[in-house]
Amino acid sequence: MSDPNVKAGLTSLDDEPEPALTLRERARESAAEFQRAAMAISTGSLGVFFVSLTQKVDPPLNSHERFFLLVSLVTMFVASVASIASWFADARAHASRAKAIEAKDESSRATALKEKEYWLRAETRTARVYLVAIIPGLLSAGIYMWFRAF
C-alpha cells in the first residue's frame, strides 16, 4: 500500500494531501485574479496611450516613441479583446458542463460534453493570444516610457 503523502510529494506524514478538486479551484481563482489584474493594466494602458496619440504632447513624439506607442496600443487592444473572449469561453464551458450533469438522456449529455470541450479549447486559445499580446505590449510600453524619460 502506498502512502498518499509520499505520492502527493509531501515530506511529513502529519500533512494531509488536499483533494485535487480543491487544488484545481485554487488554480482557477489564481488564474482569474491574474486575468483581472492584467485586464486592468491593458485597458488602462489603452486609455493613456490613446490620449497620448490624440492630444498635443510637449515635447512632440518622435518617430520611435510613436512607433512603440502604436505597438503597445495595438497589442494591449488585442490583449483586452482576448481576455474578454477567454472569460466568455470559460463561462460557456462551465455552463455546458452543468448542462451535461443535468442531462436526462445520453444524447443530450454527449452534446453538452462536446460543447464543453469546444469552449475549453476556445478558452485555451484565447488565453494564449492574450499572453502573446500582453508581453510585447508591456515591453513596448516600457520602451516608450524610457524614450520619454530620457
Side-chain angles (χ1 to χ4, degrees):
M1 180 179 282
S2 75
D3 183 2
N5 291 310
V6 173
K7 200 176 204 179
L10 300 174
T11 56
S12 170
L13 292 177
D14 297 331
D15 294 330
E16 287 294 321
E18 295 187 66
L21 186 60
T22 303
L23 297 174
R24 284 190 187 111
E25 188 57 35
R26 285 185 185 170
R28 183 175 163 76
E29 288 172 14
S30 295
E33 190 167 321
F34 166 77
Q35 196 170 21
R36 280 191 296 272
M39 180 71 170
I41 290 169
S42 61
T43 54
S45 301
L46 282 174
V48 170
F49 295 152
F50 181 77
V51 169
S52 295
L53 285 171
T54 58
Q55 301 295 318
K56 183 174 168 94
V57 180
D58 192 37
L61 298 175
N62 65 32
S63 61
H64 296 299
E65 292 169 343
R66 188 176 298 276
F67 171 77
F68 285 109
L69 190 59
L70 285 171
V71 168
S72 188
L73 187 68
V74 169
T75 55
M76 293 296 190
F77 174 75
V78 170
S80 296
V81 170
S83 182
I84 292 168
S86 181
W87 276 336
F88 178 78
D90 182 57
R92 296 297 304 155
H94 290 289
S96 296
R97 182 175 179 213
K99 218 186 319 182
I101 291 169
E102 295 170 343
K104 302 284 187 220
D105 59 10
E106 194 58 36
S107 174
S108 299
R109 185 175 191 282
T111 302
L113 288 174
K114 284 181 184 176
E115 284 179 22
K116 180 193 88 157
E117 291 303 317
Y118 170 81
W119 287 111
L120 285 176
R121 283 191 306 274
E123 179 188 12
T124 301
R125 288 184 191 116
T126 55
R128 286 182 186 150
V129 168
Y130 174 79
L131 287 174
V132 166
I134 194 77
I135 292 169
L138 291 172
L139 288 173
S140 59
I143 293 168
Y144 163 76
M145 287 189 257
W146 184 77
F147 274 132
R148 289 305 284 178
F150 300 105

